[in-house]
Amino acid sequence: MNAVIDLGNGDFLQLEPARRAFHLFPGAGGAQVEVTLRISKTHDLAPGIAYRVSARMYVEDSTRKQRMLCALDATNLVTPLVRAGDVQLSGFVTDEQLRVVEQLRAGGDLWVNLRLSLDSVEWREDSERPPLISEEELEQLRESVARGERFKPSQPGAMVVVERPVRQQRTGDLRFDINAGEWAAQMVAIEAGTFVELLVPLAGGADYAGAVALLREARELLREGSVDAAIGQARKALEQVRKEYGTQKLYETATKKSPRTRPLAERWAIMVEDLYSTMSGAAHADEVTKEFTFTREDGAMLLTATAGMLKRLAADRQTL
């Protein structure tokens, strides 16, 4: 979670993400990306050197393959000290890039890798040092050269130190994650989407705990791209809801009535049974369901609906 860059003089630069490192801001056709890093030196052996910090931002898919997202640049030079300070990098991503990132993370955390570049201008001693001679000796040197004679200065060992500016570039990698909730909140901030945060409480009872575990497995399977398997696990989790509410019996009674005359419990039962029936299409391959194809978006909707049913069950469990 931090990058250590060797400065070559026994000192090191250290960079790490700030506590709230990642932000998105609305833009025309996309969003401005801002990443805040903490930067410091280990010893500050060569004080006063300013660095221009830039980076290429990569994101990872479920196979950990990295994909380039955007270039980031700092608007100001930074002069690091032993005490950490902030450097802010900014870039731009398009709406289409944001949609691709959503597909890559599949509802999970987003892993980011910054390939950092730090540019500076530093003074270095010239490798060729001319002898230090006086003005009088310099004139004698000119005259000797004109006569074709060799001239030796009175202090041949004396040297002058000549320094010249040298451009230095150092690189490093900084990898960190942006958790799912933080990313979703940023997408809401730029009006690129919205989300409903739904935590299913782990209420008492071995059966109920098993249903929550099944839903958790379904979520991971969906992130891995196993849509049918994910729906199958969610269907198993929904069986606990059917059992607790007795929805099969209520469904049989409700379907014999006009929809307008059904009480609320029967309406809920129909929703549960229809949800269960839809998910059964991913678990079976009979004459009707063998042609069913579920997309990742279908899976996300069905898992979310199952989570909502389990959350409702957790709230009602004391009265059932």
Side-chain angles (χ1 to χ4, degrees):
M1 294 288 287
N2 68 331
V4 179
I5 299 175
D6 190 352
L7 297 178
N9 60 356
D11 208 350
F12 297 87
L13 280 176
Q14 300 183 65
L15 296 101
E16 62 182 350
R19 185 170 178 269
R20 297 185 181 276
F22 181 81
H23 292 279
L24 292 175
F25 297 93
Q32 180 179 329
V33 180
E34 287 193 359
V35 178
T36 304
L37 305 178
R38 302 285 287 166
I39 183 170
S40 62
K41 277 185 175 180
T42 304
H43 305 295
D44 202 16
L45 299 178
I49 297 177
Y51 296 87
R52 181 174 296 282
V53 184
S54 59
R56 288 184 176 273
M57 184 176 181
Y58 291 79
V59 293
E60 294 182 359
D61 60 19
S62 58
T63 65
R64 296 180 68 88
K65 180 180 178 181
Q66 293 189 353
R67 303 190 185 193
M68 169 70 177
L69 182 63
C70 66
L72 300 171
D73 291 286
T75 54
N76 299 310
L77 298 176
V78 58
T79 304
L81 303 172
V82 174
R83 182 176 180 180
D86 287 346
V87 56
Q88 192 172 78
L89 309 176
S90 62
F92 190 84
V93 292
T94 65
D95 290 335
E96 180 60 29
Q97 285 176 297
L98 291 172
R99 284 190 284 269
V100 171
V101 171
E102 275 300 293
Q103 292 176 353
L104 290 177
R105 76 181 190 92
D109 296 342
L110 182 68
W111 280 97
V112 170
N113 186 53
L114 298 184
R115 296 186 182 174
L116 298 162
S117 177
L118 289 93
D119 293 278
S120 62
V121 175
E122 303 174 20
W123 291 92
R124 291 287 184 269
E125 293 183 4
D126 203 318
S127 58
E128 298 179 1
R129 300 181 181 181
L132 179 62
I133 60 178
S134 64
E135 289 294 330
E136 182 181 352
E137 288 177 323
L138 181 60
E139 184 60 32
Q140 293 177 15
L141 173 60
R142 294 193 184 102
E143 294 175 357
S144 298
V145 171
R147 294 194 299 268
E149 300 173 352
R150 294 184 64 185
F151 172 78
K152 294 182 179 183
S154 59
Q155 298 179 355
M159 308 292 263
V160 294
V161 177
V162 178
E163 292 187 334
R164 57 189 175 90
V166 177
R167 180 181 175 182
Q168 297 285 348
Q169 185 179 67
R170 299 176 176 89
T171 60
D173 287 274
L174 177 60
R175 187 171 182 269
F176 61 96
D177 69 309
I178 302 171
N179 68 55
E182 182 182 356
W183 174 264
Q186 292 299 320
M187 292 290 282
V188 171
I190 61 170
E191 300 179 354
T194 189
F195 73 102
V196 177
E197 187 174 2
L198 189 64
L199 176 66
V200 180
L202 191 58
D207 291 340
Y208 187 81
V212 174
L214 286 167
L215 186 62
R216 188 182 300 118
E217 291 173 16
R219 183 185 63 184
E220 294 304 317
L221 286 167
L222 187 64
R223 288 176 180 173
E224 294 168 3
S226 301
V227 179
D228 284 358
I231 295 173
Q233 293 298 89
R235 175 176 169 271
K236 293 178 184 178
L238 191 63
E239 289 177 357
Q240 183 65 23
V241 177
R242 301 175 75 213
K243 175 183 175 183
E244 296 286 347
Y245 286 110
T247 56
Q248 286 179 284
K249 184 176 180 179
L250 287 170
Y251 179 86
E252 292 173 1
T253 301
T255 53
K256 296 175 182 178
K257 300 178 181 179
S258 166
R260 297 178 61 182
T261 63
R262 294 169 187 161
L264 184 58
E266 292 179 354
R267 298 186 186 203
W268 276 112
I270 287 177
M271 291 179 63
V272 172
E273 289 300 310
D274 282 347
L275 178 60
Y276 186 82
S277 175
T278 301
M279 292 194 291
S280 296
H284 302 301
D286 56 35
E287 287 302 313
V288 176
T289 62
K290 65 181 181 180
E291 301 297 331
F292 286 9
T293 300
F294 292 94
T295 66
R296 184 191 293 271
E297 289 70 26
D298 294 336
M301 178 271 168
L302 294 170
L303 265 64
T304 302
T306 303
M309 294 298 182
L310 285 172
K311 185 176 179 65
R312 179 171 177 265
L313 175 59
D316 290 346
R317 194 172 179 83
Q318 300 299 322
T319 60
L320 292 175

